[in-house]
Amino acid sequence: MALWGARFSSEADQRLQDFNSSIAIDSKMFEQDIKGSIAHVTMLAAQGIVDEESKDSIIENLTKIKEEIESGQLVIDPKAEDIHMFIEGELTKRTPAGKKLHTARSRNDQVAVDFKMYAMQRCDDLVTLLKEMIGVLIHQASQNLTTIMPGYTHLQRAQPITFAHHLMAYVEMFKRDCSRLEDAKKRANVCPLGSGALATTTYPIDRDYTAKLLGFDGPTLNSLDGVSDRDFAIEMVSAFSLCMMHLSRLCEEIILWCSWEFKFLELDDAFSTGSSIMPQKKNPDVAELVRGKTGRVYGNLNTLLAMLKNLPLAYNKDLQEDKEAFMDSADTLQACLVTMIPMCDSWKVNQENMENAAKRGFINATDCADYLTKKGMPFRDAYSTVGQLVKYCVDHQKDLSSLSLEEYQEASCLFEADVYEAIALQTCVFKRNAIGGPCPDRVKEHIESIKKELGL
Ligand code: ARG
């Protein structure tokens, strides 16, 4: 008979038990469940609600259960209803004091606190990985401060930048991802334990103490909200989704850069795959999988939002679905980062192809117009003069650097021999030295400031 079965006259149907069980998912929270129980019983004893001897026996046995699960000596029963029932059942088998643990507590506040602690830990681990990713990108950027490449808009060559500048854009995104996770954690940092089933308890519990023992900033301030709030999970999965979107955008570029059409990058053999039929193929499967898995995390976010949309207060069993969506998202993001970090650390940059690509496509046309503007021509006139020059080049299969000075002067008498220097790719990049620009000195400063900020 289940722990809650006293008012029933028959055993639960096996099909209900299978359907109702969440052990396959929530067994991952055994550590948090035990930690929460130890804090709870410590508070109960301090308040004189349970005796010291029972408390000591409960803590001793819970600690042993934790060690045995960790070492594999105790196998979590896959048929148990959930991790809370399994651990309480196991404890009660070992000590009669185990029966006192659930005093002044419900599984509703128990699962809320376990899940919160678990989710906050996953955020910490993901922030650590994100910082590793940032470290790798910064390293790659510092090796490519002067590697010129085309910058694109509409996937058309637009203005010259450097590979370092391009990578540092992703560093900014991942930094925001870290701060979103840390921010979500700050709001999550209140302890629901003590909310009871929904309305706290008549025992003289000390919620401040329990919160303190578990490392929370304080207790939640409304018990209905305490047991039914899953905002923290939604906020975190939303931050995971954004982070996946950033990884996916980077992956999309990696896929393009590895194509024969670009050939800007070559992935290390250890992070590439082949084809079963085409012997020449070297495929960026990792990048494609990350792109594909992004949809899966978005799906989980939608699962959580939809699950909560019409849920009346307080606890409803629908909430049991929260952990699978959260864990799958955290696992997915973690797996993507774990694989992408070494992939990005080991790719080979084809600096020559990047620079050659930047030489074509009139990427310096803006600089040519700026040249005229600096000589006194209003920008709109300069824009149209250079537009005509580009048309002339297209018609005569030339580019701006191969036009003769005579050809330039036919377009405008303001052109002089220094135009060639002004439209050289190096000049175009080095002169873009406003804050946030591709000028190598600026990018170097950016790298240094992030290294300092993140202690890298
Ligand atoms: N396994 C449940 C969950 O994950 C635990 C809470 C059960 N509470 C209850 N009243 N049935 O949500």
Side-chain angles (χ1 to χ4, degrees):
M1 195 63 92
L3 269 174
W4 41 256
R7 63 98 67 218
F8 293 89
S9 46
S10 68
E11 190 70 61
D13 188 281
Q14 188 57 49
R15 286 161 293 193
L16 173 137
Q17 289 185 36
D18 294 344
F19 187 63
N20 205 32
S21 168
S22 56
I23 192 80
I25 305 293
D26 57 33
S27 57
K28 295 188 188 92
M29 305 192 309
F30 76 88
E31 217 181 306
Q32 288 76 15
D33 193 71
I34 290 173
K35 192 175 167 192
S37 291
I38 290 178
H40 180 65
V41 77
T42 305
M43 179 279 292
L44 290 181
Q47 294 298 101
I49 302 167
V50 302
D51 57 286
E52 285 292 318
E53 206 183 309
S54 299
K55 175 203 79 176
D56 290 341
S57 172
I58 288 173
I59 294 180
E60 192 192 317
N61 280 287
L62 282 175
T63 309
K64 272 191 84 190
I65 290 173
K66 178 174 169 267
E67 284 164 7
E68 287 178 25
I69 295 176
E70 277 165 353
S71 70
Q73 201 182 328
L74 175 63
V75 179
I76 297 174
D77 178 6
K79 287 195 155 48
E81 183 177 333
D82 58 27
I83 191 65
H84 325 293
M85 290 304 205
F86 172 75
I87 289 174
E88 193 186 331
E90 188 61 34
L91 176 72
T92 310
K93 268 194 238 160
R94 296 176 186 216
T95 167
K99 288 191 191 166
K100 299 184 182 175
L101 173 62
H102 212 54
T103 315
R105 181 177 81 169
S106 153
R107 258 191 305 162
N108 298 349
D109 56 347
Q110 188 180 357
V111 72
V113 77
D114 291 2
F115 185 27
K116 236 183 200 186
M117 290 192 290
Y118 175 89
M120 288 167 81
Q121 180 62 52
R122 295 297 304 257
C123 283
D124 280 345
D125 297 346
L126 287 166
V127 167
T128 304
L129 275 173
L130 271 168
K131 287 187 179 163
E132 240 182 86
M133 181 74 185
I134 290 174
V136 163
L137 293 180
I138 280 181
H139 173 71
Q140 292 289 334
S142 48
Q143 312 260 291
N144 288 284
L145 284 168
T146 56
T147 305
I148 292 177
M149 71 181 282
Y152 297 82
T153 62
H154 312 271
L155 213 51
Q156 303 286 320
R157 291 171 191 173
Q159 290 178 347
I161 55 168
T162 65
F163 190 46
H165 188 233
H166 199 118
L167 292 178
M168 292 306 288
Y170 285 101
V171 167
E172 282 298 300
M173 298 177 220
F174 296 134
K175 256 179 56 197
R176 287 197 295 275
D177 291 328
C178 287
S179 93
R180 258 186 289 271
L181 289 176
E182 269 153 8
D183 192 51
K185 255 189 65 189
K186 266 187 226 153
R187 256 184 309 283
N189 205 2
V190 275
C191 182
L193 199 56
S195 297
L198 73 161
T200 70
T201 174
T202 54
Y203 293 96
I205 58 170
D206 181 350
R207 293 197 59 205
D208 285 314
Y209 185 42
T210 318
K212 197 169 149 220
L213 287 173
L214 292 174
F216 285 97
D217 287 343
T220 53
L221 296 181
N222 178 287
S223 58
L224 291 170
D225 182 53
V227 291
S228 51
D229 166 40
R230 295 295 184 271
D231 290 7
F232 65 92
I234 295 183
E235 278 193 53
M236 288 170 189
V237 176
S238 156
F240 299 165
S241 298
L242 274 173
C243 185
M244 286 298 300
M245 180 266 282
H246 295 147
L247 290 174
S248 184
R249 287 183 84 170
L250 175 56
C251 283
E252 170 69 13
E253 302 215 271
I254 292 171
I255 294 161
L256 286 173
W257 293 336
C258 287
S259 69
W260 278 100
E261 283 67 20
F262 279 82
K263 273 281 163 235
F264 287 179
L265 270 190
E266 188 175 343
L267 296 179
D268 192 83
D269 282 0
F271 288 93
S272 308
T273 47
S275 153
S276 59
I277 173 172
M278 297 168 280
Q280 84 284 12
K281 289 299 287 289
K282 185 169 173 183
N283 294 331
D285 278 23
V286 169
E288 292 166 40
L289 264 175
V290 171
R291 202 175 51 181
K293 285 175 188 288
T294 301
R296 172 184 178 135
V297 177
Y298 292 179
N300 287 333
L301 175 60
N302 204 38
T303 297
L304 290 173
L305 286 166
M307 180 193 81
L308 280 147
K309 180 175 155 303
N310 291 337
L311 219 56
L313 299 182
Y315 180 86
N316 297 268
K317 192 74 171 204
D318 314 42
L319 289 173
Q320 182 164 283
E321 290 291 306
D322 57 2
K323 285 167 288 297
E324 188 167 9
F326 177 90
M327 289 177 184
D328 183 68
S329 306
D331 291 348
T332 303
L333 177 54
Q334 183 175 319
C336 291
L337 284 167
V338 163
T339 324
M340 274 189 76
I341 289 167
M343 183 179 83
C344 296
D345 203 25
S346 59
W347 65 32
K348 245 183 44 224
V349 181
N350 194 330
Q351 298 171 332
E352 211 182 310
N353 280 355
M354 284 190 181
E355 185 150 355
N356 283 338
K359 285 181 184 153
R360 302 249 179 75
F362 307 103
I363 208 161
N364 45 6
T366 314
D367 299 79
C368 193
D370 288 343
Y371 169 89
L372 288 175
T373 305
K374 283 171 194 159
K375 299 241 167 175
M377 190 185 280
F379 179 75
R380 272 291 156 237
D381 294 337
Y383 173 94
S384 114
T385 304
V386 176
Q388 279 156 19
L389 267 176
V390 168
K391 184 173 185 309
Y392 176 87
C393 286
V394 172
D395 292 345
H396 295 82
Q397 281 154 23
K398 291 189 165 198
D399 55 49
L400 290 173
S401 57
S402 63
L403 285 177
S404 70
L405 190 55
E406 290 70 42
E407 286 170 309
Y408 266 119
Q409 286 175 340
E410 239 166 74
S412 164
C413 57
L414 290 176
F415 280 118
E416 293 174 86
D418 59 353
V419 65
Y420 297 104
E421 172 64 20
I423 61 163
L425 291 181
Q426 303 277 350
T427 318
C428 301
V429 167
F430 276 75
K431 284 263 169 84
R432 284 187 162 75
N433 59 2
I435 294 172
C439 169
D441 285 344
R442 279 295 187 216
V443 176
K444 215 168 151 193
E445 279 167 25
H446 184 203
I447 291 175
E448 290 311 318
S449 76
I450 291 172
K451 273 188 172 166
K452 226 166 118 193
E453 188 187 329
L454 301 183
L456 295 169

